[in-house]
């Protein structure tokens, strides 16, 4: 069990109980779902989740000043895990909702899969990218500990991340294009998939996060 | 290698109890949806779908509590359908821990419910259920008769006059993230999916399609994917009564070249 306080940042977009339950399941016993800057400011670890449309997400993030809180946390070297739209919000810009300026904490783009997506054999691919796909770990990282190479995780998204600095990529997934399934920089780890819905592999990643020092190796 | 085709066991739940029974040798309570969901989760099901067939309002509260109990123990996606009438019903189920909701009759009565809820909660959690039945062929553009499927409500008894393929396209435009397509001609027959409508809908829309209705053996699952073009297959009785386990179904599909999560 971990006595660390883990804050799940709640900016009003979607149900966050799943991620909190999954963290508790892997041994975190102080999980708080909140947008209170005082609690987030004191937390040992932070989860930055997100579902829904980017324009609404960014509006709520800014209204509740979660962008400033996040900047503080990242500078203080406390471990941060961003999930799905939470990951996308960290990039510079998203094509969703006719274009949305994002937090620009990680330089790069969030792009639409497109209406005519195909795999290598010319087979049409459906959008959203929904279901269990393989993640190739492109480099070693403490959050991959105990997770087999090419394990499947649960994805559901229509827009994908492409970071400008390719060395930040920690995981890659193929879906018509190669997407950044995971990014890592210092105390930040960001994933496009939903670890809280990814059964054994997802729970292992969350277990790794609960005990992560916030350093890359 | 790429995205896996999904296998989804479906439970019919009434007032918090699984009806039609589930026959696993080693579970204590065959009517407990929490225990059954955990079992399917352990077996490697890719998602779980709950169909709430409760009529009464009090019973629906029980269902919400059931969803809450499952969500803290089962860490794969959970879809809940049945009886959803308004945005508030959707919010309640998502807050209880459902990852997706399945809208059926209410979408026909009020298509804007789909648009509104997709905008509010995101397309990823809005599944539109289509119950289709084959009706008289129409004359195609070349003069050759073409099959046609209409949407029926009330368990397949009441025709709506709505073309199933056109409706699937319309619901996609309205923001649905996925289609759950059930053939009312096949549901409960164990004769396999109605592959014609599965293929027609799957080709017509850009979003994923779940095939449902009629699964009696593992070849039917394969056909739904290969011939029907479905992205996922949903089945109830073949799994509930232990005829086949989820791992057996996945191994069978994998042997036939279908990518699955093993």
């Amino acid at each position: 069990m971990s006595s660390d306080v883990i804050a799940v940042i709640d900016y009003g977009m979607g149900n966050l109980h799943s991620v909190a339950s999954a963290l508790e399941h892997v041994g975190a016993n102080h999980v708080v779902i909140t947008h209170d800057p005082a609690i987030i400011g004191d937390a040992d670890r932070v989860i930055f989740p997100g579902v829904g449309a980017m324009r609404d997400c960014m509006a709520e993030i800014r209204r509740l000043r979660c962008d400033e809180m996040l900047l503080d946390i990242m500078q203080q070297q406390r471990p941060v895990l961003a999930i799905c739209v939470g990951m996308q919000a960290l990039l510079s810009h998203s094509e969703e909702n006719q274009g949305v300026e994002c937090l620009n904490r990680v330089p790069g783009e969030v792009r639409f899969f497109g209406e005519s997506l195909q795999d290598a054999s010319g087979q049409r691919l459906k959008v959203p990218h929904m279901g269990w796909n393989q993640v190739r770990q492109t480099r070693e990282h403490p959050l991959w500990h105990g997770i087999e190479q090419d394990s499947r995780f649960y994805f559901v998204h229509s827009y994908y991340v492409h970071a400008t600095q390719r060395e930040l990529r920690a995981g890659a997934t193929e879906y018509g294009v190669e997407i950044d399934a995971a990014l890592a920089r210092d105390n930040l780890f960001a994933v496009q998939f939903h670890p809280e819905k990814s059964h054994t592999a997802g729970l292992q990643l969350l277990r790794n996060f609960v005990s992560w020092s916030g350093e890359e190796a | 290698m790429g995205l896996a085709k999904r296998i989804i066991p479906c439970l019919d739940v009434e007032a918090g109890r699984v009806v039609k029974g589930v026959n696993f040798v080693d579970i204590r309570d065959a009517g407990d949806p929490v225990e059954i969901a955990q079992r399917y989760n352990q077996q490697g099901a890719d998602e779980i779908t709950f169909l709430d067939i409760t009529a009464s309002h009090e019973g629906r509260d029980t269902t919400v509590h059931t969803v809450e109990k499952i969500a803290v123990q089962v860490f794969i996606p959970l879809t809940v359908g049945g009886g959803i009438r308004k945005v508030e019903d959707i919010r309640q189920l998502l807050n209880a821990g459902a990852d997706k909701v399945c809208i059926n009759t209410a979408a026909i009565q009020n298509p804007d419910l789909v648009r509104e809820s997709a905008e509010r909660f995101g397309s990823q959690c809005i599944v539109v259920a289509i119950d289709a039945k084959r009706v008289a062929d129409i004359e195609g553009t070349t003069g050759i008769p073409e099959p046609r499927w209409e949407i029926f409500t009330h368990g397949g008894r009441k025709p709506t006059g709505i073309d199933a393929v056109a409706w699937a396209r319309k619901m996609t435009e309205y923001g649905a993230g996925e289609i759950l397509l059930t053939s009312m001609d096949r549901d409960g027959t164990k004769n396999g999916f109605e592959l014609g409508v599965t293929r027609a809908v799957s080709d017509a829309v850009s979003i994923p399609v779940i095939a449902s209705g009629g699964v009696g053996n593992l070849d039917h699952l394969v056909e739904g994917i290969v011939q029907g073009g479905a992205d996922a297959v949903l089945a109830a009785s073949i799994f509930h009564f232990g005829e086949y386990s989820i791992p057996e179904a996945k191994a069978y599909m994998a042997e036939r070249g279908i990518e699955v999560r093993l």
Side-chain angles (χ1 to χ4, degrees):
Chain A
M1 297 294 273
S2 166
S3 58
D4 282 7
V5 173
I6 303 180
V8 179
I9 301 183
D10 179 10
Y11 52 94
M13 299 299 288
N15 165 44
L16 305 176
H17 295 293
S18 299
V19 65
S21 302
L23 286 164
E24 283 161 0
H25 189 80
V26 299
N29 54 4
H30 288 101
V31 182
V32 191
I33 299 171
T34 183
H35 59 254
D36 182 337
I39 297 171
I40 294 168
D42 283 343
D44 299 293
R45 297 163 197 280
V46 171
I47 304 267
F48 187 51
V51 294
M54 184 58 83
R55 195 202 302 125
D56 294 348
C57 280
M58 284 310 306
E60 286 306 290
I61 287 167
R62 294 211 159 96
R63 188 177 70 81
L64 294 167
R65 297 183 171 261
C66 294
D67 45 349
E68 293 161 28
M69 289 182 234
L70 208 56
L71 182 61
D72 282 350
I73 295 156
M74 284 167 70
Q75 284 170 345
Q76 290 165 15
Q77 303 304 309
R78 283 179 286 162
V80 179
L81 177 63
I83 299 172
C84 194
V85 178
M87 174 203 210
Q88 296 183 356
L90 295 172
L91 277 287
S92 313
H93 178 266
S94 171
E95 290 180 358
E96 196 170 2
N97 307 121
Q98 288 82 50
V100 179
E101 292 308 311
C102 302
L103 295 171
N104 198 28
R105 298 280 168 251
V106 179
E109 292 287 312
V110 184
R111 300 170 179 165
F112 184 43
F113 275 117
E115 303 282 355
S116 50
L117 194 67
Q118 293 185 340
D119 68 11
S121 63
Q123 187 88 29
R124 182 171 73 142
L125 297 174
K126 299 294 184 84
V127 176
H129 173 216
M130 185 186 287
W132 299 80
N133 206 338
Q134 291 178 296
V135 175
R136 180 164 50 85
Q137 299 163 23
T138 52
R139 58 185 164 101
E140 287 186 13
H141 193 282
L143 289 207
W144 293 136
H145 173 76
I147 299 171
E148 275 184 49
Q149 182 63 288
D150 298 323
S151 288
R152 289 185 187 275
F153 290 86
Y154 189 82
F155 289 81
V156 52
H157 61 125
S158 299
Y159 295 80
Y160 67 93
V161 165
H162 184 86
T164 309
Q165 295 165 272
R166 304 308 296 144
E167 68 275 17
L168 296 185
R169 188 175 69 168
T173 291
E174 293 287 337
Y175 195 64
V177 290
E178 193 175 75
I179 68 168
D180 293 350
L183 297 173
R185 187 184 64 202
D186 306 326
N187 54 327
L188 169 71
F189 200 82
V191 291
Q192 179 62 67
F193 51 82
H194 287 271
E196 75 281 13
K197 290 289 158 190
S198 297
H199 201 214
T200 318
L203 292 174
Q204 180 62 35
L205 190 138
L206 293 177
R207 193 175 288 120
N208 293 340
F209 177 72
V210 169
S211 60
W212 183 31
S213 68
E215 287 168 15
E216 292 227 356
Chain B
M1 299 300 269
L3 188 65
K5 301 296 182 184
R6 289 168 281 154
I7 296 185
I8 307 174
C10 176
L11 305 176
D12 286 338
V13 180
E14 185 171 21
R17 302 285 295 171
V18 175
V19 294
K20 295 187 193 169
V22 175
N23 180 22
F24 289 129
V25 285
D26 51 351
I27 64 170
R28 282 172 287 119
D29 180 357
D32 178 13
V34 181
E35 198 171 357
I36 293 161
Q38 274 178 318
R39 175 52 46 94
Y40 282 130
N41 178 34
Q42 285 160 9
Q43 282 196 354
D46 296 310
E47 298 185 17
I48 292 172
T49 290
F50 256 56
L51 206 54
D52 180 11
I53 58 169
T54 310
S56 73
H57 189 74
E58 297 74 29
R60 288 197 57 83
D61 287 346
T62 313
T63 302
V64 170
H65 292 311
T66 305
V67 171
E68 283 170 353
K69 276 190 267 178
I70 291 170
V72 297
Q73 295 177 60
V74 174
F75 301 105
I76 59 173
L78 176 65
T79 302
V80 182
I84 291 165
R85 293 273 171 272
K86 48 191 192 296
V87 169
E88 189 46 40
D89 297 337
I90 298 171
R91 183 198 313 281
Q92 195 182 23
L93 288 168
L94 294 176
N95 282 340
D99 297 286
K100 313 182 210 181
V101 294
C102 191
I103 307 174
N104 192 341
T105 318
I108 294 162
Q109 290 163 348
N110 173 23
D112 281 330
L113 175 67
V114 173
R115 197 198 295 274
E116 203 182 321
S117 51
E119 277 171 11
R120 184 123 14 138
F121 308 112
S123 291
Q124 81 289 337
C125 64
I126 305 299
V127 183
V128 170
I130 296 178
D131 292 345
K133 214 169 176 175
R134 184 147 177 190
V135 292
D137 291 0
I138 51 162
E139 201 172 297
T141 44
T142 54
I144 301 161
E146 287 178 4
R148 188 170 177 275
W149 297 270
E150 243 179 51
I151 295 178
F152 280 67
T153 59
H154 299 80
R157 294 191 306 278
K158 200 174 156 191
T160 63
I162 301 168
D163 181 81
V165 177
W167 182 250
R169 276 202 200 94
K170 180 173 172 177
M171 288 295 96
T172 305
E173 285 163 21
Y174 274 50
E178 197 170 30
I179 300 282
L180 170 58
L181 176 69
T182 303
S183 161
M184 300 311 285
D185 299 305
R186 298 298 180 93
D187 204 25
T189 65
K190 291 185 164 268
N191 289 332
F193 297 118
E194 157 72 78
L195 296 170
V197 71
T198 309
R199 174 52 77 179
V201 170
S202 203
D203 283 350
V205 297
S206 57
I207 59 176
V209 173
I210 306 165
S212 157
V215 175
N217 62 47
L218 300 182
D219 282 317
H220 294 153
L221 299 178
V222 173
E223 289 165 7
I225 302 285
V226 175
Q227 285 149 262
D231 302 280
V233 284
L234 180 140
S237 57
I238 64 159
F239 296 131
H240 294 342
F241 300 110
E243 289 168 61
Y244 303 100
S245 68
I246 304 275
E248 277 168 355
K250 288 193 168 181
Y252 193 85
M253 290 164 82
E255 279 167 25
R256 278 146 193 84
I258 297 172
E259 193 157 351
V260 291
R261 166 182 161 252
L262 292 168

